[in-house]
Amino acid sequence: MPDSVLSFQNVSKNFSGLRVIDEVTFDVERGSRTALIGPNGAGKTTVFNLISGVYPIDQGQVLLDGDDISTLPVRQRINRGISRSFQNIRLMPHLSAVENVMLGQHSHSRSIGSLLFPLGWLPRNRWAKQAEEALAQAGLGTYPGEVVANLPYGVQKRIEVVRAMISEPKVLMLDEPAAGLNEQETEDLRLLLEQVSERGVTLLVVEHDMQFVRRLCDQVVVLNFGKKIFEGLASEVQEDQAVKEAYLGTEDVGDAA
Amino acid sequence: MSGYWAGIMAILCFNIVVAYSVFLPAASGQLNLGAAGFVAIGAYSSGYISTDLGAPMLLAILLGALVTGFVAFVISFPILRTRGVYMVLATFAFAEVVQGVFINLEVFGAAAGYPVAAFADLNVIVPLTIGVVVFVFFLMTTRLGLSMRAVHDDEPVATLFGVHARFTQVTAFTLGGVVAGIGGAIWAHNFNYVEIQNFNILLSIFVLLYVLIGGTQTAFGPLIGAVFFTLMPEALRVSEEWRFVIFGILIILMMVVRPEGLVTRTMLDRIKGPFIRRKPAPVVDS
Ligand SMILES: Nc1ncnc2c1ncn2[C@@H]1O[C@H](COP(=O)(O)OP(=O)(O)O)[C@@H](O)[C@H]1O
Ligand SMILES: [Mg+2]
């Protein structure tokens, strides 16, 4: 049996009577690079929200390393190793790039001592250093001190990714990380994520850019109208009849084929 | 220094300290319109400890600050259940209750006021003020300060990254109480007379204005706001009749021109920019 780090078991979620996630079950294999795809409104972001605890689930279980985390408070889920980025940028607008990334380290420095550690006064402390290096590695080395509200969209988008990955979580969930990036930035992002993956972080990525998905991911889960319609190897997804039908009339999969 | 300037200096220090007491919760997204209530508690408790209990003045100031911090801690729980304009109302209501209590407490002379024996001159007040300023600057550079600002900007996302929003806000509110207590203690031992009428809603409003107009994004905001608003009326004394009109227009103008406060992060970056260009970190090959 494959070793799954994260497992969605028979999960359902309704929003005001409307079933948005319908008895969905899938496994994310440890160390895999799993894509979660599907047409707009399929429920991909909702899956992330249910895993990270933004909303409670109505039914089912979410297992991390075999433990049900679906009733844990939001805050404790990142401490267990679940980190995410957001489809619509949710950086802290008044913080600098490096401060946003240092927020991503919070789950590793929760003692009173580390809460009172002056991150800003000792510029080469290990937290600031780690954050600045991670930014540099993502090609953002010129931005650490800048307030993020003033930075271009593509840069903010990548800071989101760096903030989510800095804690080296067990499962890194990225919601459309390549949206709005140009070709070069997308390729750089893919290389960055490959490095993250090689360090043992499991990736769960929502992305519409199928070329990006095919190059980066080995596993794919496809959602349509809140139901799982495919789970398997990335190399097989485009031959699947149900997936083809779900995307009929849209360009997402056809383009990449 | 003339008595006139010494008086202004003492008021300036008081205003700066109280501005920081409101800044701390504001930096984590909580508006406190009850500064006067906390200041009153600090003034009466420290005055009582030095005068009636006979403690040394500095100890009395410290204990008064701790008493105020404790009260802030206790009431932070009901107050932090409210948000936005309701929090403004809740903190305002708290200050009204405090005023109502002290005006009836015979032990503090009720409405007649309470005389305090020990005198704090500028040699005490200025170092205390500098201490508060340095403390707040320090706090804002720590991870706790980062958490406060993160909760201010986006509480749900801060929580997703592991920040305990409630702990952060209670801490900010409590520390704000401690600082307000120091402000009250400064008042009590500088004027040597505590009258509850001095700690009214106008004080709370003005202090909140210092902070909001100075800016809540950096620890410079309350300092600039308090200095500006304390010295500006003095400068306007030349045209006594128009003083409050000019003052009011200035406030409105500043809110229009700099809605996020006089001092913002972006502004500091611009100032720092040409002088301190930090070298980008080297790319690490892996
Ligand atoms: N908080 C919410 N309240 C009501 N409906 C929601 C909420 N979040 C998502 N939905 C609905 O759930 C469905 C799936 O949304 P989402 O998960 O964002 O899709 P995707 O990310 O796949 O595009 C959509 O129909 C959306 O309108
Ligand atoms: Mg989405």
Side-chain angles (χ1 to χ4, degrees), chain A residues 7 16 26-27 39 85 92 99 107 110 112 118 125 130 138 169 208-209 214 222 251:
Chain A
S7 167
S16 42
F26 65 85
D27 282 289
S85 74
M92 306 303 175
E99 286 168 336
S107 57
R110 288 173 290 137
I112 292 292
N125 64 76
Q130 185 199 33
H208 282 298
D209 180 343
R214 264 189 303 142
V222 185
E251 292 165 11

Side-chain angles (χ1 to χ4, degrees), chain B residues 81-99:
Chain B
R81 297 177 75 95
T82 61
R83 271 167 200 275
V85 74
Y86 294 99
M87 180 177 292
V88 173
L89 290 178
T91 48
F92 163 72
F94 164 76
E96 291 298 298
V97 170
V98 170
Q99 194 164 19

Side-chain angles (χ1 to χ4, degrees), chain A residues 57 60-64 66-72 80:
Chain A
I57 59 175
Q61 283 189 320
V62 179
L63 304 182
L64 180 71
D67 298 333
D68 186 4
I69 58 163
S70 63
T71 54
L72 285 183
R80 293 263 188 131

Side-chain angles (χ1 to χ4, degrees), chain A:
Chain A
M1 232 188 92
D3 172 22
S4 81
V5 59
L6 183 77
S7 167
F8 223 55
Q9 295 199 332
N10 202 27
V11 174
S12 294
K13 178 69 189 173
N14 299 302
F15 283 119
S16 42
L18 207 71
R19 182 150 283 209
V20 170
I21 298 296
D22 193 3
E23 302 191 338
V24 170
T25 296
F26 65 85
D27 282 289
V28 178
E29 223 174 286
R30 192 181 308 281
S32 71
R33 305 162 180 182
T34 303
L36 179 60
I37 65 171
N40 272 326
K44 307 177 297 292
T45 298
T46 303
V47 166
F48 277 15
N49 284 336
L50 295 176
I51 295 171
S52 56
V54 174
Y55 308 120
I57 59 175
D58 291 346
Q59 176 201 312
Q61 283 189 320
V62 179
L63 304 182
L64 180 71
D65 280 334
D67 298 333
D68 186 4
I69 58 163
S70 63
T71 54
L72 285 183
V74 170
R75 204 164 33 80
Q76 284 178 25
R77 302 194 192 195
I78 187 163
N79 299 341
R80 293 263 188 131
I82 287 188
S83 185
R84 68 173 288 190
S85 74
F86 299 85
Q87 182 178 346
N88 305 310
I89 293 171
R90 292 286 289 272
L91 293 173
M92 306 303 175
H94 299 116
L95 298 186
S96 67
V98 75
E99 286 168 336
N100 268 284
V101 176
M102 288 194 292
L103 178 64
Q105 301 162 333
H106 194 94
S107 57
H108 290 305
S109 53
R110 288 173 290 137
S111 70
I112 292 292
S114 23
L115 281 179
L116 294 179
F117 184 84
L119 296 169
W121 270 359
L122 305 168
R124 302 309 298 173
N125 64 76
R126 84 178 163 101
W127 301 105
K129 212 161 153 180
Q130 185 199 33
E132 284 183 19
E133 282 172 4
L135 281 168
Q137 215 168 9
L140 303 168
T142 49
Y143 300 109
E146 308 233 8
V147 176
V148 296
N150 304 328
L151 295 173
Y153 180 87
V155 172
Q156 294 195 24
K157 196 82 199 175
R158 282 177 289 161
I159 296 173
E160 271 266 351
V161 174
V162 177
R163 177 176 69 173
M165 63 172 239
I166 193 78
S167 61
E168 301 247 323
K170 280 182 192 153
V171 182
L172 174 59
M173 305 192 291
L174 302 173
D175 201 345
E176 305 198 13
L181 300 191
N182 65 33
E183 223 169 287
Q184 185 58 51
E185 290 169 337
T186 305
E187 183 60 11
D188 291 347
L189 174 68
R190 187 180 65 79
L191 294 173
L192 176 71
L193 293 180
E194 280 186 355
Q195 290 176 10
V196 173
S197 163
E198 276 156 22
R199 294 202 288 268
V201 173
T202 304
L203 301 180
L204 180 59
V205 183
V206 169
E207 188 46 65
H208 282 298
D209 180 343
M210 281 309 290
Q211 186 176 325
F212 180 85
V213 167
R214 264 189 303 142
R215 286 189 179 165
L216 178 69
C217 297
D218 42 22
Q219 305 280 322
V220 177
V221 174
V222 185
L223 289 182
N224 194 24
F225 293 113
K227 283 190 158 62
K228 182 186 78 180
I229 57 170
F230 177 88
E231 178 178 8
L233 293 175
S235 51
E236 291 167 1
V237 63
Q238 279 161 27
E239 302 313 315
D240 188 88
Q241 199 54 37
V243 175
K244 275 185 184 165
E245 276 166 25
Y247 276 97
L248 215 62
T250 74
E251 292 165 11
D252 295 357
V253 165
D255 243 8

Side-chain angles (χ1 to χ4, degrees), chain B residues 18-30:
Chain B
V18 182
Y20 276 110
S21 84
V22 170
F23 169 78
L24 287 174
S28 60
Q30 312 154 73

